[in-house]
Amino acid sequence: MARFFGLADIISGLLFVASFYHIDIPRGMMIAFGIYLILKGLIFFMNFFSLIDIGAGILLVSGWISIMHPFVLLGIAAFLAIKGLISLFTFA
């Protein structure tokens, strides 16, 4: 299950990178991964990282991703990708 969450986090990070490069992303895909991040953040609401998941999900669902500063987008993308890689390669 952690590997599925890791893969979904990596894809979410790639959505932020794609928006940094102004690549058109299907709106339904952004909403689906945004809802995934929000729900995961609410279910596993234990630490600061869950709040970042919720914030990233709100950005994807609301469409505010286009008005964010580019370095904020890259920061969120890097955070999600690193967190996804760690989840993907856990040995549990």
Side-chain angles (χ1 to χ4, degrees), residues 16 34 37-59 76 79-80 83:
F16 280 97
L37 285 173
I38 292 170
L39 289 176
K40 188 179 75 153
L42 290 174
I43 290 172
F44 300 112
F45 192 75
M46 293 183 279
N47 54 18
F48 176 71
F49 302 119
S50 297
L51 293 176
I52 294 177
D53 280 343
I54 293 170
I58 289 172
L59 284 176
I76 294 172
F79 169 77
L80 288 173
K83 190 168 66 107

Side-chain angles (χ1 to χ4, degrees), residues 19-82:
S19 67
F20 172 76
Y21 287 112
H22 303 290
I23 297 173
D24 290 330
I25 306 162
R27 184 76 179 139
M29 184 177 184
M30 288 178 60
I31 291 173
F33 278 97
I35 291 172
Y36 153 76
L37 285 173
I38 292 170
L39 289 176
K40 188 179 75 153
L42 290 174
I43 290 172
F44 300 112
F45 192 75
M46 293 183 279
N47 54 18
F48 176 71
F49 302 119
S50 297
L51 293 176
I52 294 177
D53 280 343
I54 293 170
I58 289 172
L59 284 176
L60 284 174
V61 169
S62 66
W64 292 342
I65 199 168
S66 62
I67 61 171
M68 294 300 295
H69 193 273
F71 293 121
V72 173
L73 293 177
L74 287 179
I76 294 172
F79 169 77
L80 288 173
I82 290 170

